[in-house]
Amino acid sequence: QVQLVESGGGLVQAGGSLSLSCVASGTIFSNLAMGWYRQAPGKERELVAAITAGGSTNYVDSVKARFTISRDNAKNTVYLQMNSLKPEDTAVYYCRGWYSVFAYWGQGTQVTVSS
């Protein structure tokens, strides 16, 4: 049905930037609400940013003004531009898409921010 593959994670210094990409297979991408979640060791997975099929966005307070979620339906891709990264942003970042009763998870990509 739908497969999600994240890329762009890595090691970056505090204050630096990374851009994550999530490429979806399937034919229903434009109908999906998409989001980026992250999970740090010992922490619950949290929704960081989301974008609806209509383009509305929302962010967790801790990343507002630093992260930007966007989508390109022609490329079946959702992006997370992360600027001014902080050590507390370190986590595995997961792409998720959902529609109706269906939800899809990517495998995750590690983001490590050094101080």
Side-chain angles (χ1 to χ4, degrees):
Q1 299 181 60
V2 176
Q3 292 182 319
L4 305 175
V5 180
E6 304 99 329
S7 63
L11 175 64
V12 66
Q13 296 177 347
S17 298
L18 283 174
S19 182
L20 306 182
S21 298
C22 173
V23 180
S25 66
T27 61
I28 62 170
F29 178 80
S30 63
N31 298 120
L32 296 172
M34 302 294 300
W36 288 96
Y37 288 71
R38 67 186 181 189
Q39 188 166 25
K43 300 290 187 179
E44 294 185 345
R45 189 173 297 186
E46 67 171 348
L47 177 62
V48 177
I51 184 166
T52 68
S56 298
T57 60
N58 202 6
Y59 303 89
V60 69
D61 286 345
S62 60
V63 309
K64 286 182 178 177
R66 299 190 298 119
F67 291 9
T68 302
I69 187 170
S70 62
R71 66 192 297 161
D72 186 339
N73 289 346
K75 297 181 179 180
N76 281 11
T77 302
V78 63
Y79 305 94
L80 186 67
Q81 178 65 46
M82 305 184 293
N83 299 323
S84 301
L85 283 162
K86 304 174 181 179
E88 51 263 43
D89 295 318
T90 296
V92 177
Y93 284 70
Y94 298 90
C95 178
R96 187 191 183 211
W98 61 97
Y99 177 73
S100 187
V101 300
F102 303 104
Y104 312 92
W105 288 99
Q107 297 298 308
T109 185
Q110 176 71 49
V111 172
T112 302
V113 184
S114 62
S115 60

